């Protein structure tokens, strides 16, 4: 019998992360659950152990703290049972750019980008060495939409998409699977935490539907999974346009329109 890989999930105390934990436990995977709220993690872990007969470990960590991140990095480097990283922990932005304090900016960018990148970087060499392993990064459709007025949050999510595409390019030849999951508005606590009443939003996906769709994409080994995107060809067109633009970047000379007029 082959042993299923252990799944390491950040932000597992609520919302999307907690739902990933439930789904992977149901599939028979052991879990490592990470977040700050140990009480909530312990409660979830106990339930998942009883319901699914899997091993669930809880690690309390604040991913904005470099010392906490170091402990997790060591674990990801050394524990060969961990074969799937769900890089999910994240916060949203309350207010526009003019409302942000330096502390809030730093917290948002550190959690949504630095922590996610450091954890991926910790586990990637072991995955590449063994020729197997999966990294799932939770982005957002806000990363496509400066028009939403969540500039810093959206920028962190654009980073997540780019990083995932880059990691896929670098690591898939070495047998490592990388998936970017891009939800739109989903019913979780992220809204309340950012001071927004989720019930005021015109359209919201339930978290179970979002995660089940993301897992279908995972099983199909999709690079980019956008559960709320109904016309898949839209993504193909966007990515095709990007590649077309790249093919027209010729760096020896400035484009005609930027040359001095005689
Ligand atoms: N819900 C949406 O509409 C939506 C849409 C697009 C993308 N997303 C993305 O989905 C991901 C999950 O969010 P969610 O919607 O499930 O929100 P959520 O219910 O608020 O969950 C966020 C998780 O991150 C953890 N977390 C927050 N700050 C942390 C820190 N400093 N250190 C460690 N863990 C921390 C929280 O746990 P503790 O408080 O216990 O630490 C919680 O488990 C995020 O990356 C978010 O950007 C969500």
């Amino acid at each position: 019998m082959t042993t299923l890989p252990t799944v390491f999930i950040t932000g597992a105390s609520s919302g999307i992360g907690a739902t990933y934990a439930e789904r992977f436990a149901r599939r028979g995977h052991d879990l490592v659950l990470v977040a700050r709220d140990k009480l909530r993690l312990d409660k979830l872990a106990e339930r998942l152990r009883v319901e699914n007969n899997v091993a669930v470990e809880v690690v309390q960590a604040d991913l904005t703290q470099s010392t906490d991140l170091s402990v997790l990095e060591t674990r990801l480097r050394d524990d060969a049972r961990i074969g799937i990283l769900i890089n999910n922990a994240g916060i949203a932005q309350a207010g526009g750019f003019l409302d942000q304090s330096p502390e809030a900016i730093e917290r948002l960018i550190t959690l949504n980008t630095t922590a996610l990148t450091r954890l991926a970087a910790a586990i990637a060499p072991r995955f590449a060495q063994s020729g197997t392993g999966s990294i799932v990064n939770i982005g957002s459709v806000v990363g496509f939409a400066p028009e939403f007025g969540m500039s810093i949050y959206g920028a962190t999510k654009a980073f997540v998409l780019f990083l995932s595409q880059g990691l896929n390019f670098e690591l898939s030849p070495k047998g490592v699977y990388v998936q970017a999951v891009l939800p739109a508005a989903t019913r979780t606590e992220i809204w309340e935490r950012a001071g927004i009443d989720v019930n005021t939003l015109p359209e919201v996906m339930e978290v179970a539907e979002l995660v089940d769709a993301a897992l279908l994409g995972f099983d199909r080994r999709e690079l980019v999974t956008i559960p709320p995107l109904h016309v898949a060809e839209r993504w193909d067109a966007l990515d095709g346009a990007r590649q077309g633009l790249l093919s027209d970047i010729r760096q020896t000379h400035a484009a005609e329109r930027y040359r001095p007029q005689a």
Side-chain angles (χ1 to χ4, degrees):
M1 205 178 87
T2 49
T3 319
L4 292 171
T6 296
V7 187
F8 185 104
I9 306 173
T10 67
S13 62
S14 66
I16 295 170
T19 308
Y20 265 111
E22 285 198 359
R23 296 304 192 258
F24 275 114
R26 258 191 229 168
R27 290 178 173 205
H29 292 262
D30 292 341
L31 306 172
V32 180
L33 306 181
V34 180
R36 293 167 303 176
D37 189 334
K38 185 163 183 313
L39 218 65
R40 276 183 103 174
L41 288 177
D42 282 337
K43 264 175 114 173
L44 175 64
E46 188 47 32
R47 181 165 67 77
L48 297 182
R49 282 183 204 114
V50 171
E51 288 176 357
N52 304 283
N53 195 27
V54 293
V56 185
E57 188 187 335
V58 159
V59 181
Q60 183 179 33
D62 182 338
L63 297 173
T64 63
Q65 300 302 310
S66 195
T67 44
D68 286 13
L69 269 175
S70 299
V71 173
L72 299 176
E73 286 168 324
T74 304
R75 179 68 189 275
L76 290 172
R77 275 189 209 106
D78 296 347
D79 187 345
R81 289 168 305 176
I82 299 171
I84 301 174
L85 166 64
I86 309 290
N87 245 332
N88 162 77
I91 46 174
Q93 178 187 333
F97 191 68
L98 300 179
D99 306 317
Q100 305 302 310
S101 68
E103 297 74 28
I105 293 171
E106 183 154 334
R107 196 166 46 245
L108 181 66
I109 294 176
T110 303
L111 180 63
N112 291 12
T113 64
T114 309
L116 174 139
T117 309
R118 279 182 58 172
L119 297 180
I123 207 165
R126 183 166 61 73
F127 282 176
Q129 179 77 32
S130 65
T132 178
S134 306
I135 300 173
V136 176
N137 296 321
I138 309 299
S140 167
V141 297
V142 181
F144 294 139
E147 295 80 5
F148 285 4
M150 299 171 76
S151 302
I152 307 175
Y153 177 76
T156 67
K157 295 303 184 180
F159 176 102
V160 170
L161 175 60
F162 187 107
L163 183 78
S164 305
Q165 291 171 302
L167 294 188
N168 173 66
F169 177 79
E170 293 193 52
L171 302 178
S172 69
K174 300 181 191 304
V176 183
Y177 168 55
V178 181
Q179 181 193 26
V181 175
L182 278 48
T186 307
R187 193 180 307 280
T188 70
E189 291 170 25
I190 200 168
W191 297 96
E192 194 188 324
R193 291 181 201 245
I196 299 164
D197 180 358
V198 70
N199 297 312
T200 62
L201 304 177
E203 290 185 82
V204 184
M205 191 178 291
E206 297 303 323
V207 68
E209 185 166 346
L210 182 272
V211 173
D212 287 337
L215 282 169
L216 261 184
F218 179 86
D219 293 338
R220 291 176 187 151
R221 292 297 185 256
E222 280 182 1
L223 164 57
V224 180
T225 299
I226 313 175
L229 178 67
H230 287 253
V231 180
E233 291 73 21
R234 293 268 190 205
W235 166 257
D236 299 334
L238 180 66
D239 208 42
R242 180 186 64 77
Q243 289 177 23
L245 179 146
L246 279 182
S247 73
D248 203 25
I249 294 206
R250 284 167 274 137
Q251 54 206 23
T252 314
H253 295 294
E256 184 72 36
R257 67 189 178 286
Y258 298 120
R259 292 191 200 151
Q261 301 299 310

